[in-house]
PDB file of all heavy atoms in Angstrom:
ATOM      1  N   ILE Q 143     124.361 -52.526 212.685  1.00 96.00           N
ATOM      2  CA  ILE Q 143     124.230 -51.256 213.401  1.00 96.00           C
ATOM      3  C   ILE Q 143     122.800 -51.061 213.903  1.00 96.00           C
ATOM      4  O   ILE Q 143     122.572 -50.492 214.981  1.00 96.00           O
ATOM      5  CB  ILE Q 143     124.671 -50.086 212.497  1.00 96.00           C
ATOM      6  CG1 ILE Q 143     126.192 -50.159 212.286  1.00 96.00           C
ATOM      7  CG2 ILE Q 143     124.281 -48.748 213.108  1.00 96.00           C
ATOM      8  CD1 ILE Q 143     126.732 -49.112 211.331  1.00 96.00           C
ATOM      9  N   ALA Q 144     121.818 -51.556 213.151  1.00 94.00           N
ATOM     10  CA  ALA Q 144     120.422 -51.453 213.593  1.00 94.00           C
ATOM     11  C   ALA Q 144     120.214 -52.205 214.901  1.00 94.00           C
ATOM     12  O   ALA Q 144     119.410 -51.799 215.750  1.00 94.00           O
ATOM     13  CB  ALA Q 144     119.498 -52.008 212.517  1.00 94.00           C
ATOM     14  N   ARG Q 145     120.943 -53.297 215.063  1.00 92.00           N
ATOM     15  CA  ARG Q 145     120.825 -54.089 216.293  1.00 92.00           C
ATOM     16  C   ARG Q 145     121.757 -53.575 217.388  1.00 92.00           C
ATOM     17  O   ARG Q 145     121.518 -53.819 218.573  1.00 92.00           O
ATOM     18  CB  ARG Q 145     121.133 -55.554 216.001  1.00 92.00           C
ATOM     19  CG  ARG Q 145     120.096 -56.211 215.104  1.00 92.00           C
ATOM     20  CD  ARG Q 145     120.293 -57.702 215.023  1.00 92.00           C
ATOM     21  NE  ARG Q 145     119.263 -58.342 214.217  1.00 92.00           N
ATOM     22  CZ  ARG Q 145     119.107 -59.654 214.107  1.00 92.00           C
ATOM     23  NH1 ARG Q 145     119.931 -60.468 214.750  1.00 92.00           N
ATOM     24  NH2 ARG Q 145     118.146 -60.160 213.354  1.00 92.00           N
ATOM     25  N   HIS Q 146     122.835 -52.915 216.982  1.00 93.00           N
ATOM     26  CA  HIS Q 146     123.819 -52.385 217.942  1.00 93.00           C
ATOM     27  C   HIS Q 146     124.077 -50.916 217.591  1.00 93.00           C
ATOM     28  O   HIS Q 146     125.112 -50.584 217.001  1.00 93.00           O
ATOM     29  CB  HIS Q 146     125.114 -53.193 217.877  1.00 93.00           C
ATOM     30  CG  HIS Q 146     124.932 -54.665 218.061  1.00 93.00           C
ATOM     31  ND1 HIS Q 146     124.784 -55.252 219.299  1.00 93.00           N
ATOM     32  CD2 HIS Q 146     124.845 -55.679 217.159  1.00 93.00           C
ATOM     33  CE1 HIS Q 146     124.627 -56.555 219.151  1.00 93.00           C
ATOM     34  NE2 HIS Q 146     124.655 -56.836 217.865  1.00 93.00           N
ATOM     35  N   PRO Q 147     123.148 -50.034 217.942  1.00 93.00           N
ATOM     36  CA  PRO Q 147     123.210 -48.625 217.511  1.00 93.00           C
ATOM     37  C   PRO Q 147     124.483 -47.877 217.908  1.00 93.00           C
ATOM     38  O   PRO Q 147     124.834 -46.882 217.274  1.00 93.00           O
ATOM     39  CB  PRO Q 147     121.979 -48.002 218.187  1.00 93.00           C
ATOM     40  CG  PRO Q 147     121.066 -49.158 218.458  1.00 93.00           C
ATOM     41  CD  PRO Q 147     121.957 -50.325 218.732  1.00 93.00           C
ATOM     42  N   LYS Q 148     125.168 -48.341 218.944  1.00 93.00           N
ATOM     43  CA  LYS Q 148     126.374 -47.637 219.394  1.00 93.00           C
ATOM     44  C   LYS Q 148     127.597 -47.970 218.545  1.00 93.00           C
ATOM     45  O   LYS Q 148     128.654 -47.339 218.693  1.00 93.00           O
ATOM     46  CB  LYS Q 148     126.650 -47.973 220.862  1.00 93.00           C
ATOM     47  CG  LYS Q 148     125.599 -47.427 221.823  1.00 93.00           C
ATOM     48  CD  LYS Q 148     125.964 -47.715 223.272  1.00 93.00           C
ATOM     49  CE  LYS Q 148     124.912 -47.133 224.221  1.00 93.00           C
ATOM     50  NZ  LYS Q 148     125.251 -47.393 225.642  1.00 93.00           N
ATOM     51  N   MET Q 149     127.475 -48.948 217.669  1.00 94.00           N
ATOM     52  CA  MET Q 149     128.591 -49.331 216.812  1.00 94.00           C
ATOM     53  C   MET Q 149     128.774 -48.329 215.676  1.00 94.00           C
ATOM     54  O   MET Q 149     127.804 -47.865 215.076  1.00 94.00           O
ATOM     55  CB  MET Q 149     128.354 -50.716 216.191  1.00 94.00           C
ATOM     56  CG  MET Q 149     128.794 -51.873 217.035  1.00 94.00           C
ATOM     57  SD  MET Q 149     128.786 -53.409 216.051  1.00 94.00           S
ATOM     58  CE  MET Q 149     129.311 -54.583 217.299  1.00 94.00           C
ATOM     59  N   SER Q 150     130.025 -48.023 215.371  1.00 95.00           N
ATOM     60  CA  SER Q 150     130.337 -47.222 214.194  1.00 95.00           C
ATOM     61  C   SER Q 150     130.429 -48.148 212.987  1.00 95.00           C
ATOM     62  O   SER Q 150     130.453 -49.383 213.138  1.00 95.00           O
ATOM     63  CB  SER Q 150     131.671 -46.503 214.380  1.00 95.00           C
ATOM     64  OG  SER Q 150     132.731 -47.448 214.459  1.00 95.00           O
ATOM     65  N   VAL Q 151     130.494 -47.588 211.803  1.00 96.00           N
ATOM     66  CA  VAL Q 151     130.626 -48.404 210.592  1.00 96.00           C
ATOM     67  C   VAL Q 151     131.903 -49.242 210.635  1.00 96.00           C
ATOM     68  O   VAL Q 151     131.863 -50.453 210.374  1.00 96.00           O
ATOM     69  CB  VAL Q 151     130.576 -47.526 209.324  1.00 96.00           C
ATOM     70  CG1 VAL Q 151     130.976 -48.342 208.090  1.00 96.00           C
ATOM     71  CG2 VAL Q 151     129.178 -46.958 209.134  1.00 96.00           C
ATOM     72  N   PRO Q 152     133.059 -48.672 210.970  1.00 95.00           N
ATOM     73  CA  PRO Q 152     134.279 -49.498 211.050  1.00 95.00           C
ATOM     74  C   PRO Q 152     134.177 -50.607 212.094  1.00 95.00           C
ATOM     75  O   PRO Q 152     134.656 -51.717 211.875  1.00 95.00           O
ATOM     76  CB  PRO Q 152     135.370 -48.488 211.426  1.00 95.00           C
ATOM     77  CG  PRO Q 152     134.861 -47.177 210.928  1.00 95.00           C
ATOM     78  CD  PRO Q 152     133.383 -47.231 211.154  1.00 95.00           C
ATOM     79  N   GLU Q 153     133.547 -50.309 213.224  1.00 96.00           N
ATOM     80  CA  GLU Q 153     133.382 -51.319 214.275  1.00 96.00           C
ATOM     81  C   GLU Q 153     132.466 -52.450 213.805  1.00 96.00           C
ATOM     82  O   GLU Q 153     132.746 -53.628 214.067  1.00 96.00           O
ATOM     83  CB  GLU Q 153     132.813 -50.678 215.544  1.00 96.00           C
ATOM     84  CG  GLU Q 153     133.796 -49.809 216.281  1.00 96.00           C
ATOM     85  CD  GLU Q 153     133.155 -49.021 217.413  1.00 96.00           C
ATOM     86  OE1 GLU Q 153     131.917 -48.821 217.376  1.00 96.00           O
ATOM     87  OE2 GLU Q 153     133.882 -48.591 218.321  1.00 96.00           O
TER      88      GLU Q 153
END
Side-chain angles (χ1 to χ4, degrees):
I143 291 176
R145 293 190 177 188
H146 306 280
K148 293 183 179 180
M149 274 192 181
S150 65
V151 169
E153 288 171 338

